[in-house]
Amino acid sequence: MKKVITLLLAALTSSLSAQTFIAGWDFDNVGIADTSDFANWGVQAGFATASWTHDPASPPIVFTSEFGFSGDFNDTSANDVFSFGTDSITGFDQFSDGPGATPSEYGFQSLSNNDVFSLSFDGTNYENLELEYAYSSTGNSANYTLISVDLDSLNGLANATYDFTPTSDGLYDNFAISGTVVPEPSTYAAIFGVIALVFVAYRRRK
């Protein structure tokens, strides 16, 4: 019985601390005139947004003067560094429409260092928030590395927004936000209720 209680507590602890994939962007559907993109992965797919500004100090104000979105900047190694599993609809690894690189997969190159890039999502009932993305400072899509950013300052915020200024000529792709779900009080009550029942059953057996 002790072993049962131990296993139950371990399972409950694991479930409470499990990371949830909140939102991810791989820029598949970005057009040359776009200034934002809905997340196409995660539980907030179609809702969480990425958006970017254009530098008014460097006219003419055109899309390509700030960010170049292209299949040339796709991070083809994303599946090696992100571990969010597979898409339930396509069966393919998340951040990929299919095995290997495909023409529809895009990343972006920042062509200046004056433009703000923002990620907005609902952080309600989440803690331990973290952002991960692929980044290359060399302008070579074969040299992407995984960058992690602590977003704990956004824990629990309904209108959570993370802003940063991309480096000039830096390559970026596959932004992913994850966090731990904060259980409702009723969840804790149910957990302790189960533990109490198991404990009572254990005492009666003794």
Side-chain angles (χ1 to χ4, degrees):
M1 183 62 72
K2 288 183 179 179
K3 184 178 291 185
V4 171
I5 294 175
T6 301
L7 291 174
L8 176 62
L9 289 174
L12 291 173
T13 302
S14 176
S15 64
L16 290 176
S17 61
Q19 287 290 104
T20 296
F21 183 18
I22 299 172
W25 296 260
D26 59 14
F27 308 106
D28 277 8
N29 302 310
V30 173
I32 195 168
D34 291 345
T35 58
S36 65
D37 185 34
F38 283 115
N40 52 337
W41 300 112
V43 297
Q44 293 185 20
F47 169 69
T49 59
S51 59
W52 45 93
T53 63
H54 296 288
D55 183 9
S58 302
I61 304 173
V62 295
F63 179 84
T64 54
S65 68
E66 291 87 28
F67 296 105
F69 283 85
S70 169
D72 293 338
F73 308 134
N74 176 35
D75 172 24
T76 58
S77 65
N79 296 332
D80 299 326
V81 292
F82 291 100
S83 56
F84 296 117
T86 59
D87 175 47
S88 60
I89 298 175
T90 66
F92 294 129
D93 288 340
Q94 293 176 350
F95 292 111
S96 174
D97 285 337
T102 65
S104 63
E105 294 293 330
Y106 279 59
F108 75 87
Q109 180 179 33
S110 178
L111 304 179
S112 74
N113 58 359
N114 300 313
D115 308 291
V116 177
F117 193 88
S118 300
L119 298 173
S120 300
F121 62 100
D122 185 356
T124 304
N125 296 326
Y126 287 105
E127 60 185 5
N128 302 318
L129 289 168
E130 181 181 33
L131 166 67
E132 292 180 308
Y133 60 88
Y135 169 69
S136 171
S137 62
T138 66
N140 185 337
S141 61
N143 294 327
Y144 274 113
T145 58
L146 184 66
I147 303 297
S148 298
V149 181
D150 187 332
L151 298 183
D152 275 352
S153 62
L154 303 178
N155 287 348
L157 296 182
N159 298 306
T161 299
Y162 173 72
D163 298 328
F164 77 103
T165 302
T167 60
S168 179
D169 295 324
L171 301 185
Y172 297 83
D173 199 10
N174 297 320
F175 286 74
I177 294 174
S178 60
T180 304
V181 176
V182 179
E184 298 288 339
S186 58
T187 302
Y188 283 114
I191 290 172
F192 287 117
V194 171
I195 293 174
L197 287 173
V198 173
F199 182 73
V200 169
Y202 171 68
R203 291 295 298 270
R204 285 180 175 174
R205 286 191 61 180
K206 290 186 66 178

